[in-house]
Amino acid sequence: MKRLLGDAASKGLEATLITSETKTVSVSFDFNRLKTIKDTESLNMNLQVIKGNKLGVANSTRVGGEKELLENAMNVADFGPKINYKFPSPEPHANPEVFCQNVEDLTVDKMIALGEELMKFIKSLDPSINGSVEVEKNILRKDISNTHGLNARLLKTGFAISSGFQFVKGQNLLNAWDWDVSTAMEYNLERIQAKLKEDFDIGKNNTSVEPGLYDVIFTPMGFSDLINPIVTCLNGRAVMRGISPLKNRLGGKIFSPLFSLTEDGTLDKGLGSQFYDNQGVACRKTPLIEKGILREYILDLESAYRLGRQPIGTGSPEGANPNNLLVSPGNMPWNNFLKDMEKGIIIDQTMGAWAGNPYTGTVTGNIALGYLVRDGKKVGRVKNCMFSLNVFTHLKSNLLAMSRETKNLGSMVLPYCLIEGVSITGSDS
Amino acid sequence: MQNTIKDSIKKALRYSNAEYCEIRIEETTETCVRIRGNDIESASENVFLGGNVRALSRGGWGFVSFNRLDNLNGKVEEASAQAKILGARIKKHVSLYPSDQVEDYVRGNFKKQAFAVPLKNKVRLLENYNRLILGSPKITSSSIYYMDKHTYLHFANSEGTYIYQEKMDLGGSLTAIASHNSLTVQESARFGSNQDFNVALGLEDEVIKAAEIAGQMLHAPVVEGGQYTVILDPDMAGLFVHEAFGHLSEADNLDEDERMKELLKIGTRYGSDQLDIYDSGIEGPNRGESKYDDEGVLMQKTYLIKGGIVSGHLHSRESAAKMGESATGNARALNYRFPPIVRMRTTCIAPGKYTFNEMLKGITKGVYVKGGYGGQTNGEMFTFAPSRAYMIRNSEIAEMVRDVNLTGNVFETLKNIDMIGSDFTFRNGPGGCGKAGQSPLPVAQGSPHIRIQKIVIGGKEK
């Protein structure tokens, strides 16, 4: 590593080298039975060089391919992006808790046992159900160094357990799943089982829904579809190019005071937490939206320079990417939203909601798994219908509450949220 | 180099004590360029070298992937040992559909190699397109994406097969972005191929058209949600058939589920007599097609629906054996980090007899959707979004509308296809298909215009 950077420096280049080695082991069950053990080892070297004022980037998984890597990066730099930054000098970094010895020590036998427990539960729901489970662990070693003296190593573990089923009756297909994910061995099989049981019990009964405007409870999973276009619009590169509707609006009241969004690359047990981003900037905690007010963009070194901001540890040579995104929870348990709902809909899983134009803020998607609520109770599954809203208007004027509970989805930690006036269109329209 | 790898993987296979074992070694060089607005945002040249071993024992699959190629024998032993651990618990006989023992060398027979074009020429080409976009009225920014890959793939299995394939893949999108006040809209020209860099050339007219449409879209109202008669252009119809029936026909989701097998039973009617749907690996050249799949099975053309009736499924060797059907060459892996699973290649609706004007006739209020942006399915339902859409009023194309996303129930929607056009176009874009964490896998689609009754479009309340 040192030699490669030395070679780059001797050619008059600034350089950053990131070497990532990951070992992932997973055990999967399909069709109610144990099926596959996967063991993947991956190595990737990412080299960024600054030649004059241009950036060259190359990646390689070839063991011993350092010379070729440097040649490729130098070749690309001749045609690469013009940049306005230098690679940063070392700065102190936070030390988030991201390594768990129990994950590293987790055996395949134990992973199979965990999977079997969930599998047994799913099979107990119905003899004809088709269940699947995956248990996965990974260990990452990431080294980052640059020609300004940065040299750091991150050791991080990851653990995920996911479980779901498909239940077919005639032409009716019910798919449901749930999971827990962390850098530590943190999971709750009872909670996963309870969620799957409720989805099975209520989801197998379809109910029709009249088109109209509804109060909707978005589960954390459903809510993530509303966060994605906001993240796209917060991206410093989109702001820098003037295509984000959030340009020139720092300090402005964009959303309801109930909505706060924070980027935190230092979150303990956060799957995206790390010491430095992929440009060598120390990760930190940064409020992006604070009680509805726009405080910061998601920045890389170039967009930070051009927007006159300080980088926040979310950079990569391709642009800005958040590490962990957290929406602040509210005070009320989400079950209270349900209890108080006379007529409404719960949206848990969606399809195609990502396919719209994020810059308009319009989110339209199929309700893949959702329930009609009447008098505080889920009465049946709604299907063959779509929801539509605009995040910039609905999270400003129609947001009623955030729940006390949050769920770690992997790269986002989100509460349930209650929004009024969501358009529902169905085949009965 | 080629013979060295061949010898070492054939030798390593001797270390397997599983019922079946296979090795893939893959080397890919990749070029990516992205331009946004006035800037080249990123450019990179990448090398991916690695391999994997997959072994089967009494119903259990062991899979190991790696970058270090110096211990292939040990990797074979490791995958075999994993399969044995599983097999001892599962104790189930799983056979694979018989495959001929083959030794074949498939050299790239490319029309114009993308990787032979110097990076500076690619950048110059893309910058020219970018200038055209940014010089168009009402356009405020742009997004240009280009990638090409050149792959050498070695495959060998314990049945004595060795196959060497050289592959190429390229794709790109040239997007014009128009903004006014807080509204930003976009439209793209796209290209893709598995053998000809020339598809990236001569797109000036398409780029100018995309910019013009993006400008028009600024003034388009949001579509009113509801149920409509919809005409899909070939691009959208290709996306529709991929999402709506292609995924459902992938037999690894059927082969151990009796109810799913019943649902997709050969002979079941799901469409009118005029409806033929097929998936093919030999149609092209199209993205995702090659001589062999990633289990060493020859790709072929498979009818999924013929005359409106289910007539076949897409198979790996495992799913074919379980269902008592033939392997179809659909076992594909994104790269060496993944095992092959059942995936589509070029999925098509065969042309029918109607003209576009005949389709328009009789529609008092409908929607014409063009240019597939993306889609998704969960088996019974699907969604897909066009890049642009127009209202149809009194049998004529009327005003443009935006933010259109369509959904439907697979089984009902296939029955509601009431007209299939006589035209036919392949769709090769820069994206790909996602399944089981393997995305984007290059695929293509082909279709004529089609007309569907009672499609739900999400949108603002009336």
Side-chain angles (χ1 to χ4, degrees):
Chain A
M1 188 181 260
K2 270 187 181 169
R3 187 169 162 192
L4 182 58
L5 291 177
D7 289 348
S10 70
K11 294 177 193 300
L13 305 171
E14 278 197 44
T16 294
L17 176 65
I18 300 172
T19 305
S20 305
E21 280 195 82
T22 310
K23 182 174 173 64
T24 304
V25 179
S26 69
V27 171
S28 57
F29 295 70
D30 277 319
F31 296 110
N32 300 337
R33 70 175 180 87
L34 186 56
K35 193 162 184 186
T36 308
I37 297 177
K38 279 191 247 175
D39 186 330
T40 64
E41 290 174 2
S42 66
L43 160 77
N44 188 63
M45 293 182 291
N46 169 272
L47 180 67
Q48 304 162 49
V49 300
I50 299 175
K51 191 175 172 185
N53 62 347
K54 287 188 167 186
L55 178 72
V57 179
N59 289 280
S60 178
T61 69
R62 191 198 300 276
V63 177
E66 287 84 354
K67 191 177 166 201
E68 174 189 46
L69 185 69
L70 179 56
E71 281 169 5
N72 283 346
M74 287 172 60
N75 178 36
V76 172
D78 289 335
F79 315 99
K82 282 181 190 160
I83 55 169
N84 293 287
Y85 61 85
K86 304 281 181 200
F87 293 127
S89 298
E91 57 178 328
H93 63 77
N95 273 297
E97 183 189 333
V98 291
F99 183 83
C100 174
Q101 193 60 49
N102 289 342
V103 173
E104 188 174 34
D105 296 342
L106 182 65
T107 63
V108 166
D109 280 344
K110 173 69 178 166
M111 293 166 80
I112 291 173
L114 282 169
E116 280 174 339
E117 191 177 340
L118 277 171
M119 204 68 261
K120 190 177 163 191
F121 170 78
I122 293 171
K123 283 196 278 189
S124 74
L125 295 173
D126 190 282
S128 62
I129 205 163
N130 170 12
S132 60
V133 177
E134 183 158 290
V135 185
E136 181 181 299
K137 72 164 193 173
N138 62 65
I139 299 148
L140 165 73
R141 190 180 78 187
K142 180 178 175 181
D143 292 295
I144 181 166
S145 53
N146 69 20
T147 44
H148 288 270
L150 174 65
N151 193 356
R153 169 169 290 181
L154 175 76
L155 281 175
K156 188 159 91 170
T157 49
F159 173 80
I161 183 161
S162 63
S163 180
F165 63 80
Q166 178 169 272
F167 181 69
V168 182
K169 197 169 181 185
Q171 291 184 358
N172 194 56
L173 278 68
L174 172 66
N175 289 283
W177 70 90
D178 196 17
W179 72 95
D180 276 327
V181 61
S182 174
T183 61
M185 283 279 294
E186 290 188 349
Y187 58 92
N188 185 338
L189 296 191
E190 290 78 20
R191 192 197 55 72
I192 292 174
Q193 290 170 358
K195 158 87 166 71
L196 294 178
K197 179 164 171 40
E198 190 172 14
D199 285 337
F200 178 75
D201 289 342
I202 303 172
K204 62 188 179 186
N205 303 312
N206 295 333
T207 187
S208 62
V209 59
E210 290 169 10
L213 297 176
Y214 284 77
D215 288 358
V216 171
I217 299 170
F218 286 89
T219 67
M221 177 74 178
F223 190 21
S224 66
D225 285 321
L226 312 190
I227 299 299
N228 288 327
I230 297 172
V231 172
T232 302
C233 293
L234 281 170
N235 192 299
R237 294 279 178 122
V239 178
M240 177 183 109
R241 302 200 194 294
I243 56 177
S244 167
L246 300 181
K247 68 176 175 179
N248 300 326
R249 298 191 67 186
L250 283 174
K253 191 173 181 308
I254 312 292
F255 298 105
S256 154
L258 295 173
F259 183 60
S260 295
L261 178 70
T262 302
E263 142 64 26
D264 188 359
T266 68
L267 180 72
D268 281 340
K269 297 175 188 168
L271 229 56
S273 296
Q274 52 184 348
F275 298 156
Y276 294 96
D277 70 11
N278 288 343
Q279 292 180 310
V281 176
C283 292
R284 62 206 70 186
K285 184 174 180 177
T286 308
L288 303 172
I289 310 287
E290 209 168 35
K291 295 184 176 172
I293 294 168
L294 177 61
R295 295 295 184 203
E296 192 52 277
Y297 301 118
I298 300 167
L299 299 161
D300 64 301
L301 285 170
E302 182 65 17
S303 59
Y305 173 86
R306 293 216 216 165
L307 295 169
R309 313 293 302 168
Q310 290 300 310
I312 64 168
T314 47
S316 76
E318 294 79 29
N321 293 302
N323 297 297
N324 300 298
L325 286 171
L326 293 80
V327 170
S328 301
N331 301 318
M332 214 190 283
W334 88 269
N335 256 324
N336 286 19
F337 304 167
L338 183 62
K339 268 194 292 188
D340 297 342
M341 190 175 253
E342 265 180 48
K343 185 185 173 191
I345 286 176
I346 297 174
I347 296 179
D348 184 37
Q349 293 166 24
T350 67
M351 268 198 314
W354 50 269
N357 175 355
Y359 302 112
T360 65
T362 301
V363 180
T364 301
N366 175 294
I367 304 174
L369 186 61
Y371 301 103
L372 181 68
V373 177
R374 276 193 191 278
D375 301 323
K377 289 203 172 91
K378 296 180 189 178
V379 294
R381 179 185 176 202
V382 295
K383 54 185 278 191
N384 301 329
C385 57
M386 300 196 92
F387 75 97
S388 184
L389 55 75
N390 186 291
V391 294
F392 293 115
T393 52
H394 281 76
L395 289 181
K396 182 174 187 181
S397 309
N398 296 36
L399 177 60
L400 300 178
M402 297 286 186
S403 74
R404 193 166 67 191
E405 309 90 339
T406 59
K407 181 171 173 64
N408 183 353
L409 300 176
S411 56
M412 291 187 204
V413 181
L414 303 181
Y416 292 74
C417 87
L418 176 61
I419 299 176
E420 66 178 352
V422 178
S423 171
I424 302 293
T425 315
S427 49
D428 298 334
S429 300
Chain B
M1 177 71 173
Q2 183 185 308
N3 280 333
T4 311
I5 291 180
K6 175 186 160 189
D7 292 344
S8 60
I9 60 177
K10 290 195 97 168
K11 187 178 146 207
L13 282 166
R14 294 186 205 131
Y15 285 77
S16 169
N17 58 1
E19 292 156 21
Y20 170 83
C21 188
E22 68 187 24
I23 300 177
R24 277 187 295 137
I25 303 292
E26 187 180 308
E27 179 171 6
T28 296
T29 51
E30 176 191 66
T31 299
C32 296
V33 180
R34 193 179 281 280
I35 300 173
R36 288 190 202 265
N38 289 309
D39 306 316
I40 294 176
E41 183 167 84
S42 64
S44 62
E45 285 195 342
N46 308 312
V47 177
F48 304 111
L49 173 65
N52 68 58
V53 179
R54 190 171 70 134
L56 174 66
S57 180
R58 302 183 77 183
W61 285 103
F63 178 83
V64 176
S65 78
F66 42 86
N67 294 111
R68 293 182 170 84
L69 305 181
D70 53 0
N71 183 23
L72 271 184
N73 305 348
K75 297 298 178 190
V76 168
E77 287 174 337
E78 197 180 330
S80 302
Q82 287 178 352
K84 290 267 179 189
I85 290 171
L86 293 179
R89 288 169 182 262
I90 300 167
K91 293 177 187 159
K92 182 173 176 169
H93 177 69
V94 170
S95 59
L96 300 178
Y97 186 83
S99 180
D100 291 339
Q101 183 182 329
V102 175
E103 179 152 336
D104 199 357
Y105 300 83
V106 186
R107 313 279 175 197
N109 184 22
F110 310 123
K111 275 192 186 161
K112 185 167 184 181
Q113 300 175 353
F115 34 90
V117 177
L119 178 60
K120 69 174 177 186
N121 293 12
K122 293 173 189 166
V123 171
R124 195 179 302 147
L125 173 73
L126 299 173
E127 283 180 329
N128 283 340
Y129 289 140
N130 196 44
R131 269 192 289 276
L132 281 176
I133 291 173
L134 293 176
S136 300
K138 298 183 183 173
I139 296 304
T140 49
S141 192
S142 61
S143 179
I144 308 271
Y145 168 71
Y146 171 88
M147 75 85 200
D148 64 53
K149 289 181 182 175
H150 182 204
T151 298
Y152 300 103
L153 181 64
H154 303 259
F155 171 87
N157 66 23
S158 53
E159 297 166 342
T161 286
Y162 170 79
I163 295 166
Y164 166 85
Q165 292 190 89
E166 185 183 3
K167 297 182 184 181
M168 172 175 140
D169 187 28
L170 83 104
S173 58
L174 312 163
T175 303
I177 299 172
S179 302
H180 183 64
N181 293 330
S182 60
L183 176 64
T184 296
V185 293
Q186 57 189 37
E187 174 64 346
S188 306
R190 303 181 181 96
F191 58 88
S193 174
N194 69 347
Q195 66 162 250
D196 191 3
F197 177 77
N198 287 320
V199 299
L201 306 177
L203 299 173
E204 290 79 4
D205 290 346
E206 290 182 45
V207 164
I208 290 167
K209 182 79 182 161
E212 191 184 312
I213 288 164
Q216 292 166 2
M217 215 180 288
L218 278 178
H219 308 290
V222 174
V223 71
E224 195 175 86
Q227 194 167 275
Y228 293 90
T229 299
V230 176
I231 297 177
L232 283 64
D233 82 338
D235 213 6
M236 269 300 271
L239 184 63
F240 160 75
V241 73
H242 174 100
E243 298 299 341
F245 202 73
H247 278 295
L248 204 57
S249 301
E250 292 168 339
D252 54 354
N253 194 37
L254 315 175
D255 57 11
E256 291 189 42
D257 188 324
E258 293 308 316
R259 291 188 179 188
M260 282 299 289
K261 273 198 265 191
E262 186 59 33
L263 195 59
L264 272 295
K265 195 171 157 183
I266 288 175
T268 309
R269 178 169 287 280
Y270 279 121
S272 70
D273 291 345
Q274 61 176 327
L275 181 64
D276 289 345
I277 296 175
Y278 60 89
D279 181 84
S280 177
I282 55 173
E283 208 63 12
N286 287 309
R287 289 187 72 214
E289 297 180 5
S290 56
K291 186 171 180 184
Y292 295 95
D293 74 1
D294 287 317
E295 289 186 322
V297 174
L298 279 170
M299 286 195 179
Q300 53 187 264
K301 180 173 179 173
T302 307
Y303 274 90
L304 308 176
I305 286 187
K306 210 163 174 47
I309 291 169
V310 176
S311 60
H313 307 110
L314 304 178
H315 283 297
S316 63
R317 293 181 63 191
E318 183 183 4
S319 68
K322 282 179 184 165
M323 290 179 68
E325 298 175 3
S326 302
T328 54
N330 285 86
R332 301 180 60 203
L334 183 66
N335 57 44
Y336 64 88
R337 289 190 170 128
F338 299 93
I341 54 175
V342 179
R343 305 298 295 266
M344 285 170 264
R345 300 142 320 181
T346 303
T347 314
C348 303
I349 296 176
K353 61 181 183 184
Y354 293 99
T355 64
F356 184 63
N357 282 335
E358 284 172 324
M359 290 185 180
L360 284 171
K361 219 175 272 179
I363 302 177
T364 48
K365 188 181 175 189
V367 180
Y368 177 40
V369 290
K370 287 173 74 76
Y373 179 72
Q376 196 173 352
T377 181
N378 67 352
E380 62 172 346
M381 292 182 287
F382 63 87
T383 68
F384 52 111
S387 60
R388 62 187 187 277
Y390 302 85
M391 293 304 297
I392 301 168
R393 297 188 191 279
N394 301 319
S395 305
E396 288 186 355
I397 302 294
E399 77 275 14
M400 182 186 273
V401 285
R402 64 178 170 87
D403 294 345
V404 175
N405 202 349
L406 303 87
T407 195
N409 178 287
V410 170
F411 309 107
E412 288 170 14
T413 306
L414 287 171
K415 284 176 187 156
N416 288 339
I417 299 174
D418 68 343
M419 285 183 165
I420 298 178
S422 53
D423 53 343
F424 183 92
T425 310
F426 283 117
R427 172 184 196 266
N428 279 275
C433 171
K435 178 180 170 183
Q438 298 195 42
S439 175
L441 185 78
V443 290
Q445 294 90 34
S447 181
H449 278 82
I450 63 170
R451 191 174 91 170
I452 311 178
Q453 300 289 340
K454 295 180 184 172
I455 284 264
V456 173
I457 293 182
K460 70 177 183 186
E461 189 63 7
K462 287 175 197 172

